[in-house]
Amino acid sequence: MDLSEYVGFDAVGLAELVARRQVTPAELEAAAREAARAVGPQLNAVVETWPSDDEPRPGSTPLAGVPFLIKDLGVTMAGRRTELGSRLTAGHVAGADSTLMTRFRRAGLVTFGRTTTPEMAYDTTTEPVLYGVTRNPWDLARSSGGSSGGAGAAVAAGIVPVAHATDAAGSIRIPAAYNGLFGLKPTRGRVPVGPAVDEIFNGLAVHGSISRTVRDSAVLLDQIRGPEPGDPYVAPEPSRPYAEEVTRHPGSLRIGVLAHAWGGRRTAPPVADALSRTVRLLESLGHRVEEAQPDLGVDWEQFVLANARLWTANLTASIDELAAASGRPVDSSTLEPPTLAGYHYGHRVSGTEFVTALAVRNQVSRNLARYFDTYDVLLTPTVPDLPVPLGTHGRGAAALDGLGWLRRLFDLSPFTAAFNVAGTPAMSVPVTADAGTGLPVGMQFAAGHGREGRLFRLAGQLELASPWSDRTPRVWAGNQQGR
């Protein structure tokens, strides 16, 4: 199978070829490796590849034999490096599979490498010191997003049709938006994070994926969802497989629209125009769409402060543990300025402040739950701007303390974090693109707790009404044959 054939299928399509014995998993893996070599020098989306040790049985699962990449964070694969994009943990080799890795294997995925992430996922662009900048395949001067920026760039460029990603404040949805892909952040407790931890960032962070088609994300979520013993959160079981939801009609939904984010951040004109076009599309599909302003229950500064306290306290504890394991110092030789600033800020967070931050989490969760009693879905831009130029996040970062850094991140991506705090599902859908530049624009749709099925139904409808699969970026593995 050559690259032009390989990139023409999504993950489910590739697995169907394997099941019909029209292609072997080894042939698919070879094509994926060729794609990684072809576009790798331009994008820097894949940290490393390795010989796969998985031998899926054709037809055993809907994804058997599909090439796959895991993020360099949040999931461990026995005998493979997990470095978190940081010099502090460079060279660390995992001793065992995490629960999620076990489920990826059980799904029949052929994991042959890991994707880039900013240091400890502590940014929404992927520009770490350890492995360098990851570039956006639509415009090499722009960010691929973060913290799952390597996953987003790799999928958009055709290396794999779907990749592992994580999301603590938008890290699935932002790269999906920047790279013209589909990305859904599941409900808190939908996908296990163990066994080493029971929750990440006090439940703000979850695992998921980034894909080119809606059905790939739905099928993969079906394969990895469900609790493991000891989980502190358990999401309600869906009434049917998510793979079936994609083809079901969503009905006429009441959809609220938030055009400008909490905190007063204005949406840039190209994104506002894309939002208006999305509203018209939704209305043409029979949905009731109206302006809405969900109340978070706290003001924006309180919201950012609570997130800063939760993020940095967790970050500090993790860094101390990692430093003890590696024997390396915690200073500028091992950590980048924003991470080091967060580390020092976290040491100053008191127990009382931490508990107060958890109370803010509860308040936001309760208020958004009441909103979803009235509206079926909330529509926002995923991010308020087109993909930002590389280097945007880092300007003056060394002068910021831990709170200042979080203020910057939340100003750059103010729409996404509320749903991490509330634990509710939200997705970025590449409904349209900027008419002037051709750059992708993601639209975020959020729903109430446990309502991924509703989102998949809506996403499937939008994929049919406004297909995006024929939009390919400048750097696309299918165009690299023979280069």
Side-chain angles (χ1 to χ4, degrees):
M1 172 175 276
D2 63 28
L3 283 185
S4 61
E5 293 175 301
Y6 170 73
V7 299
F9 292 89
D10 67 358
V12 173
L14 291 174
E16 289 172 348
L17 293 179
V18 172
R20 295 195 297 264
R21 301 188 184 277
Q22 293 177 252
V23 67
T24 67
E27 290 171 325
L28 293 184
E29 183 183 344
R33 290 179 183 279
E34 184 180 354
R37 288 191 296 269
V39 302
Q42 299 170 79
L43 299 180
N44 187 39
V46 180
V47 177
E48 68 169 334
T49 60
W50 49 66
S52 66
D53 57 1
D54 295 304
E55 296 182 5
R57 291 179 289 108
S60 59
T61 73
L63 296 173
V66 174
F68 192 65
L69 296 167
I70 55 174
K71 185 176 177 178
D72 186 29
L73 179 140
V75 60
T76 59
M77 186 176 187
R80 303 298 179 193
R81 283 186 291 170
T82 304
E83 298 173 305
L84 319 181
S86 178
R87 291 166 292 170
L88 181 66
T89 48
H92 171 74
V93 176
D97 283 357
S98 61
T99 300
L100 185 57
M101 190 66 232
T102 299
R103 295 189 182 190
F104 287 149
R105 292 187 193 271
R106 189 178 65 193
L109 294 163
V110 178
T111 302
F112 70 98
R114 57 191 170 113
T115 58
T116 54
T117 181
E119 182 173 65
M120 299 189 184
Y122 206 60
D123 202 346
T124 52
T125 186
T126 303
E127 305 177 42
V129 169
L130 181 63
Y131 285 115
V133 169
T134 297
R135 300 181 182 276
N136 190 311
W138 293 87
D139 181 342
L140 295 175
R142 295 180 184 262
S143 170
S144 66
S147 63
S148 306
V155 173
I159 297 174
V160 290
V162 61
H164 165 246
T166 68
D167 193 315
S171 290
I172 288 173
R173 291 157 287 159
I174 295 166
Y178 276 13
N179 293 282
L181 302 168
F182 178 79
L184 182 141
K185 179 199 83 68
T187 295
R188 181 180 295 143
R190 179 70 66 204
V191 179
V193 300
V197 296
D198 60 354
E199 60 179 6
I200 304 172
F201 279 21
N202 296 103
L204 272 60
V206 297
H207 287 281
S209 66
I210 296 176
S211 62
R212 292 202 300 270
T213 66
V214 177
R215 71 174 183 174
D216 278 358
S217 285
V219 169
L220 181 53
L221 187 54
D222 279 331
Q223 296 297 306
I224 62 175
R225 62 177 169 85
E228 64 174 322
D231 278 355
Y233 312 108
V234 178
E237 279 294 301
S239 57
R240 62 184 62 85
Y242 294 129
E244 295 180 12
E245 299 285 17
V246 175
T247 58
R248 292 173 64 89
H249 195 278
S252 177
L253 300 175
R254 186 179 185 188
I255 300 176
V257 180
L258 179 66
H260 300 289
W262 301 281
R265 178 66 151 87
R266 307 299 291 175
T267 297
V271 178
D273 176 66
L275 178 64
S276 296
R277 284 182 277 137
T278 301
V279 167
R280 291 195 295 272
L281 174 62
L282 290 166
E283 290 173 335
S284 74
L285 294 171
H287 301 296
R288 296 169 293 157
V289 186
E290 56 193 73
E291 290 186 10
Q293 183 72 42
D295 179 15
L296 297 181
V298 296
D299 67 33
W300 186 246
E301 182 58 29
Q302 285 179 290
F303 179 80
V304 174
L305 178 61
N307 275 272
R309 287 170 171 169
L310 293 176
W311 282 37
T312 60
N314 280 276
L315 179 73
T316 297
S318 295
I319 288 173
D320 282 337
E321 182 179 356
L322 293 168
S326 68
R328 294 170 180 155
V330 178
D331 58 26
S332 59
S333 70
T334 58
L335 295 177
E336 298 169 30
T339 317
L340 193 57
Y343 172 80
H344 291 308
Y345 188 91
H347 266 299
R348 297 193 298 272
V349 175
S350 70
T352 301
E353 289 170 336
F354 189 82
V355 172
T356 301
L358 291 175
V360 170
R361 185 190 68 174
N362 178 64
Q363 185 67 40
V364 172
S365 300
R366 304 298 180 180
N367 275 51
L368 284 179
R370 284 192 287 271
Y371 168 85
F372 288 119
D373 281 341
T374 303
Y375 289 90
D376 298 309
V377 171
L378 175 66
L379 165 63
T380 79
T382 306
V383 285
D385 295 293
L386 297 175
V388 298
L390 290 165
T392 297
H393 290 219
R395 295 193 192 107
L400 298 174
D401 68 0
L403 177 58
W405 177 249
L406 265 293
R407 284 197 183 110
R408 171 171 294 185
L409 293 190
F410 279 40
D411 180 65
L412 288 163
S413 51
F415 290 105
T416 52
F419 307 106
N420 295 84
V421 173
T424 54
M427 64 182 180
S428 182
V429 185
V431 180
T432 187
D434 175 42
T437 63
L439 290 169
V441 180
M443 290 292 120
Q444 178 178 241
F445 297 86
H449 186 83
R451 297 290 186 179
E452 287 95 329
R454 177 175 292 163
L455 294 180
F456 277 126
R457 290 193 294 274
L458 177 58
Q461 183 187 51
L462 291 170
E463 190 174 30
L464 287 174
S466 182
W468 53 81
S469 61
D470 60 342
R471 301 183 213 144
T472 54
R474 168 185 169 189
V475 179
W476 173 243
N479 298 331
Q480 308 296 314
Q481 199 79 35
R483 291 192 182 184

